[in-house]
Amino acid sequence: MLTFYNEQHSQHQGRDRSVNGQPVPCAEAPLRADAVLAELGRRGLGRIVTPHGVPLMSLERIHTPRYLHFLRNAWSEWVALDPANAGKDAFPSVWPVRTLRSDVEPDNLRAKLGLYSMDSGTPLTAGTWSAAKTGADCAVNAAHALRLGERSAFVLSRPPGHHAGADFYGGYCFLNNAALAAQHMLDDGARKVAILDLDYHHGNGTQSIFYQRDDVLFISLHADPRFEFPFYLGHADERGEGPGLGYNLNLPLPAGTTATAWLAALETACIRLGSFGADALVVSLGVDTFAGDPLSRFALHSADYLRVGERLAWLGLPTAFIFEGGYAVKELGVNVVNVLEGFETAL
C-alpha cells in the first residue's frame, strides 16, 4: 500500500480545547500520526512517500475561496491584534446562528472566527494552514495514484478533515481530505465515487458538501447525534436532496454498540455500496470506535479492525484510506494498520 505522509502535520499543535468552559489538553495531537507512522514502519506495509504540492485551485473544487483566504491569513491577523496572541491559540467567541447573516464577512477577526467555525474546541494555531494544506496535498496525491493504477493508498495526515464543510471548520478539522480525494477522482475521469465514513463521529462536513449530488454516494456509520458530536447532523432520515436524494445513507448507532452490531451495520453499508456502481472508494478511517478510546462509547477491539479491512477489500474497488479520528494513542497505530493490513492481505 502506498502511504502519503504529511511531514508538516506537527506544525498544527493545539495547546488546549474548551470543555464545559474549562481548558483541557487537546486530544488531537501530533502523537496520533506518529503512532501510526511507527506501526507502518514496524510492519513494513508498503512505501511511504511525501506528496507533491497541489494548487489552491484544487482545493477550491471543494472549499470556497473566501474560506481558504481566511484560513491562510487568520494566524497573522490574530497576532496583529495583539503580539501576545502569538502564545495563545485562536478560538471564536460569537457565532451567526439563525436569523443572523453569514453572507457578509465582518472585518473583525473574532467575528470571522465565529463565521467560519462550528465549535469552540478546535484551536487555530500558527501552523494550522501549513499542516492542513499539506494534508490536502496528500489526499489529492492519493486520489491521483488510484487513477494511475494503484489498488490502494493511505493518507497519513492530521489535522483530520471530515467535519470541515465547504466554508467552515470544527471538530478538529479544517480541510476536508476525503471530499478533496473524491472530487479529484471525478475531475480525473471517474464517473461515480463512494465515500464510506467509519469514524465514531458523523462526517457532517462531507455530507453537507455532497448532499445535493448523485455522483458521490456518502455513507456514514457513527454514534447517534442525539447524544454525540456533531449533534446537529447525522440522523437516519437525511437521505440527500434534489439530485442527491437517495445518495446519502446515515447509520446512527447507540451508545454501547459492540463489534457484532457495528459489523452488521458495515455489511448494510457494503451492500448499498455494491449497488451504487462506484469507480473508486474513499474511506474516512477513524478508529475512535475502539473500546478504549477516551472519546468513544463503542466497543470494537483491535482484532476487529482486521475484519473491517478484509470486508472492504472484497468490494473490489480502488480505495483511498484517509486518516481521521482515534485518540487511544497506545493502541492507535495497531488499530489503523490492522485495517490496512486486513485490506492488503484479503485478496
Side-chain angles (χ1 to χ4, degrees), residues 197-200 221-222 253 257-268 286 289 298 300 304-305 308:
D197 194 319
L198 303 181
D199 194 274
Y200 174 74
L221 285 68
H222 53 270
L253 299 167
T257 291
T258 63
T260 299
W262 192 92
L263 289 168
L266 177 64
E267 189 60 31
T268 298
T289 49
F298 285 0
L300 274 69
D304 296 320
Y305 294 108
V308 173

Side-chain angles (χ1 to χ4, degrees), residues 27-28 32 160 171-172 199 201 288 293-295 324-329 332:
E28 205 295 288
R32 299 177 60 247
Y172 305 145
D199 194 274
H201 305 92
D288 40 1
D293 195 286
L295 301 187
E324 300 282 6
Y327 306 97
V329 175
L332 181 59

